[in-house]
């Protein structure tokens, strides 16, 4: 009996040790994938272009790897879109970086597809969605912050003398000095701004404080670059998150009355504002654009031209005249402008197919949905008003990672 007990004990200890070793392996694999996504967002030359590909084998060390027909279809659609978009761009020779694009287009196609696949399998093994959200936005924020901070420090006197505004609305890349358009840096910061919705999440106060600090820094940097769309996206994000939070919380009569009183008291703050002091805050190019134009921008006319251009040039080729601009300032119209209807419809199909995953997650896990709502709003607004794929393949690739993660969480 004693020998039997010893054998059983050793067997159990061996099993526990194997499980512990397996758990460590799974955790390391997840960590490698998360790190690769972060590094990809930081846009380090060469390293970022290959880091997703290098980390791809880590998927095979994850515990769960459920493959469905729906996933195979969506991954194939992502690959087909990327293949058609970049191949047709090279064949049409319609970009200003034809040589670079031709030499790197295989990596660009692979990264979009691999990012989607990584997101899908990571979701089955790593359920800490706040960490995934932070990694998705963190790399892009780091790149934008480093580039903007470096420019500001090097031109501090000029920026300070201009009310801390960057007049050129562009900054050199932190890594190689190449000029990065201000609105594109702005959509990187927009992801962090919209994560202010995380204040409603069930995470500890320190993490909430980090997300709020990230959002406030991003707002300030966008003001420096005179970007408006990310601010609108942040307002929309926190508004939707607030509505979701109010529908989830149990409002007693006492809480409801207190909330209504606070809302009614807000206008009274105007009596305590010294307008002579605040007037100087409005005297800058950002506020002048905001006051004079409001929501009205030349983009609406560009969208109209883009729609007509799709009808006139269904195979793309960048033939529509957007003068004095070079694109339609809209992701879908820009894809159609470059390479025509088919890739544009493929992109729309991919996005529409993932909307149920988003709604299912919000409905099933409302207390964890605030960050998902924030990123979704930020991606939507940026894709509507900026040439996201033309200006940043990294941004759109991380979008595919994000929807792949949502797909994996849904189990479909």
């Amino acid at each position: 009996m004693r020998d039997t007990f010893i054998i059983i004990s050793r067997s159990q200890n061996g099993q526990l040790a194997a499980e512990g070793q397996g758990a460590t392996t799974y955790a390391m694999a997840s960590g490698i994938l998360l790190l690769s996504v972060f590094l990809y967002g930081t846009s380090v030359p060469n390293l970022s272009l290959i880091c997703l590909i290098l980390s791809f084998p880590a998927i095979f060390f994850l515990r769960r790897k459920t493959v469905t027909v729906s996933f195979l279809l969506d991954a194939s659609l992502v690959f087909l879109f990327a293949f058609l978009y970049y191949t047709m761009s090279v064949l049409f020779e319609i970009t200003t970086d034809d040589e670079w694009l031709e030499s790197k287009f295989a990596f660009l196609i692979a990264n979009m597809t691999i990012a989607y696949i990584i997101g899908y399998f990571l979701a089955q093994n790593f359920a800490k969605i706040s960490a995934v959200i932070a990694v998705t936005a963190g790399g892009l924020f780091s790149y934008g912050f480093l580039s903007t901070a470096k420019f500001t420090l090097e031109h501090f006197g000029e920026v300070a003398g201009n009310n801390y505004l960057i007049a050129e609305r562009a900054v050199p890349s932190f890594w190689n000095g190449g000029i990065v358009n201000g609105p594109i840096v702005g959509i990187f910061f927009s992801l962090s701004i919209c994560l202010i919705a995380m204040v409603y999440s069930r995470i500890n106060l320190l993490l909430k404080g980090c997300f709020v600090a990230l959002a406030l820094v991003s707002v300030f940097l966008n003001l420096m670059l005179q970007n408006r769309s990310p601010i609108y996206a942040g307002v929309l994000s926190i508004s939707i998150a607030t509505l979701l939070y109010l529908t989830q919380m149990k409002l007693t009569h006492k809480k409801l009355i207190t909330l209504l009183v606070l809302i009614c008291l807000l206008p009274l703050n105007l009596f305590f504002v010294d307008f002579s002091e605040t007037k100087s805050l409005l005297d800058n190019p950002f506020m002048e654009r905001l006051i004079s134009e409001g929501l009205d921008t030349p983009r609406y006319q560009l969208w109209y031209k883009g729609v007509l251009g799709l009808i006139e040039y269904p195979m793309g080729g960048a033939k529509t005249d957007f003068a004095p601009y070079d694109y339609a300032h809209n992701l879908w119209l820009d894809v159609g402008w470059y390479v025509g209807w088919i890739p544009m419809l493929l992109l729309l199909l991919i996005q529409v197919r993932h909307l149920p995953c988003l709604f299912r997650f919000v409905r099933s896990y409302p207390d964890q949905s605030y960050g998902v709502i924030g990123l979704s709003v930020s991606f939507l607004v940026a894709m509507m008003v900026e040439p996201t794929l033309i200006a940043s393949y990294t941004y759109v690739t991380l979008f595919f990672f994000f929807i792949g993660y949502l797909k994996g969480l849904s189990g479909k």
Side-chain angles (χ1 to χ4, degrees):
M1 287 291 293
R2 184 172 178 274
D3 293 339
T4 303
F5 176 75
I6 292 173
I7 292 171
I8 292 173
S9 297
R10 288 176 178 173
S11 176
Q12 289 176 341
N13 289 337
Q15 184 178 357
L16 289 174
E19 289 178 356
Q21 186 177 1
T24 303
T25 303
Y26 306 143
M28 288 181 61
S30 298
I32 290 171
L33 294 175
L34 287 170
L35 178 62
S36 68
V37 171
F38 176 82
L39 288 176
Y40 185 78
T42 57
S43 299
V44 182
N46 296 325
L47 174 62
S48 292
L49 204 60
I50 64 173
C51 65
L52 295 182
I53 298 172
L54 292 178
S55 70
F56 184 71
I59 290 175
F60 298 101
F61 295 95
L62 297 175
R63 180 178 302 171
R64 287 180 288 273
K65 297 183 284 290
T66 303
V67 177
T68 64
V69 174
S70 178
F71 160 70
L72 291 175
L73 175 60
D74 287 328
S76 299
L77 289 174
V78 172
F79 170 78
L80 185 59
F81 164 73
F83 177 79
L84 287 176
Y85 178 81
Y86 285 112
T87 303
M88 294 171 72
S89 294
V90 170
L91 291 176
F92 288 167
E93 297 182 347
I94 52 179
T95 71
T96 56
D97 300 315
D98 285 326
E99 291 184 5
W100 181 89
L101 189 62
E102 187 173 356
S103 64
K104 300 292 192 294
F105 88 104
F107 289 98
L108 301 175
I109 295 169
N111 278 330
M112 282 192 177
T113 311
I114 289 174
Y116 181 83
I117 295 171
I118 286 175
Y120 179 80
F121 287 115
L122 186 63
Q124 299 180 29
N125 297 270
F126 190 82
K128 295 181 180 179
I129 193 165
S130 58
V132 174
I133 288 169
V135 164
T136 305
L140 291 170
F141 171 84
S142 299
Y143 173 64
F145 177 79
L146 290 172
S147 300
T148 307
K150 181 182 178 183
F151 176 84
T152 302
L153 291 174
E154 292 177 350
H155 302 80
F156 185 77
E158 176 187 338
V159 173
N162 198 31
N163 291 328
Y164 294 97
L165 297 175
I166 298 176
E168 300 85 357
R169 298 193 65 205
V171 294
S173 168
F174 178 79
W175 305 113
N176 55 22
I179 298 301
V180 186
N181 191 268
I184 298 305
V185 179
I187 66 173
F188 297 167
F189 292 141
S190 173
L191 293 170
S192 301
I193 291 175
C194 291
L195 290 185
I196 196 170
M198 292 290 286
V199 296
Y200 294 122
S201 295
R202 291 185 179 179
I203 54 178
N204 63 56
L205 288 176
L206 178 60
L207 279 176
K208 286 185 180 181
C210 289
F211 280 116
V212 171
L214 203 63
L216 293 177
V217 170
S218 298
V219 168
F220 177 73
L221 294 172
N222 263 304
L223 292 176
M224 288 181 66
L225 291 164
Q226 306 173 55
N227 296 323
R228 296 173 299 173
S229 300
I231 310 298
Y232 299 150
V235 172
L236 180 59
S237 173
I238 193 65
S239 300
I240 295 175
T242 302
L243 288 174
L244 178 63
Y245 180 73
L246 291 176
T247 58
Q248 296 301 318
M249 67 183 295
K250 296 178 180 179
L251 281 176
T252 62
H253 286 87
K254 184 177 180 180
K255 288 182 179 178
L256 182 60
I257 291 172
T258 303
L259 184 63
L260 290 173
V261 169
L262 288 174
I263 293 173
C264 292
L265 287 176
L266 285 176
L268 295 178
N269 290 326
L270 295 175
F271 290 102
F272 303 99
V273 175
D274 187 349
F275 289 102
S276 62
E277 294 293 330
T278 58
K279 185 177 183 298
S280 61
L281 297 176
L282 304 179
D283 188 20
N284 61 67
F286 173 85
M287 294 306 299
E288 288 175 5
R289 289 182 66 225
L290 190 63
I291 294 171
S292 63
E293 295 182 15
L295 293 173
D296 186 24
T297 73
R299 289 185 177 92
Y300 304 138
Q301 189 174 7
L302 294 175
W303 295 350
Y304 177 70
K305 289 182 179 180
V307 172
L308 295 182
L310 284 174
I311 299 172
E312 189 173 359
Y313 307 107
M315 293 305 294
K319 297 176 181 177
T320 304
D321 182 14
F322 288 117
Y325 302 93
D326 296 326
Y327 27 71
H329 271 281
N330 177 283
L331 171 65
W332 304 281
L333 293 175
D334 285 329
V335 170
W337 180 59
Y338 261 30
V339 292
W341 276 88
I342 297 176
M344 184 193 74
L345 292 176
L346 272 174
L347 178 60
L348 277 171
L349 177 61
I350 292 167
Q351 293 170 322
V352 169
R353 281 181 57 85
H354 286 80
L355 284 177
C357 300
L358 171 63
F359 296 144
R360 194 178 299 116
F361 182 81
V362 173
R363 185 172 61 249
S364 302
Y365 308 100
D367 58 320
Q368 300 180 43
S369 297
Y370 300 107
V372 172
I373 289 172
L375 286 191
S376 299
V377 169
S378 182
F379 278 125
L380 174 64
V381 172
M383 289 176 178
M384 284 184 63
V385 301
E386 299 295 349
T388 49
L389 186 51
I390 293 175
S392 176
Y393 61 86
T394 303
Y395 182 88
V396 178
T397 300
L398 289 176
F399 167 76
F400 283 125
F401 165 77
F402 174 64
I403 63 174
Y405 190 83
L406 288 182
K407 179 82 172 181
L409 286 177
S410 71
K412 298 293 185 180

